[in-house]
Every structure is written in structure tokens, then in C-alpha cells.
Amino acid sequence: MELLNTSISYNIDGTGNTSSVIAGLRGEVEGRVTITANVTIYPTDLAKDETFDDLTKKNYPNVR
């Protein structure tokens, strides 16, 4: 199943830093099985020394 990023929402803390990102995802198999999900990505989900400012919207489905 290939996932399509359908939305991105940034949560900003009191100091102006991005504290988390919510990525909306949608996938479909043969036009009948559909999944829709919101995934929250936190700084601890990023690679060492990587910040949300280092990422583009194309990176979010690949964050582990």
C-alpha cells in the first residue's frame, strides 16, 4: 500500500520551536481497502541532531 500525505499540522511551543508535527495519511488497495490515519511525530522520533526545520513534507512519511 502506498501512503499519500494529505495534511500537515505543526504544533509550536511557547518559545517558537516546533514541538510536534501531525501528518495525515491515506492509503488504498485495489479501490476497496482504505486506511486514513493521523500520525504525530515528536522530536524523539527524528534522527540524532535532526530538527523539524531540517525536514520537508516529503520526509514525514519516512520518519521512523
Side-chain angles (χ1 to χ4, degrees), residues 1-59:
M1 175 183 299
E2 188 169 331
L3 296 176
L4 173 66
N5 184 305
T6 58
S7 65
I8 298 175
S9 175
Y10 297 88
N11 294 310
I12 310 297
D13 65 19
T15 61
N17 295 312
T18 304
S19 58
S20 65
V21 172
I22 300 171
L25 304 173
R26 181 179 184 284
E28 187 176 291
V29 175
E30 298 176 6
R32 58 187 177 85
V33 178
T34 303
I35 184 170
T36 303
N38 289 322
V39 178
T40 302
I41 305 165
Y42 296 98
T44 55
D45 297 321
L46 304 177
K48 184 179 180 181
D49 298 324
E50 187 174 50
T51 69
F52 289 112
D53 293 335
D54 298 324
L55 303 175
T56 67
K57 68 180 183 177
K58 290 181 180 182
N59 298 119

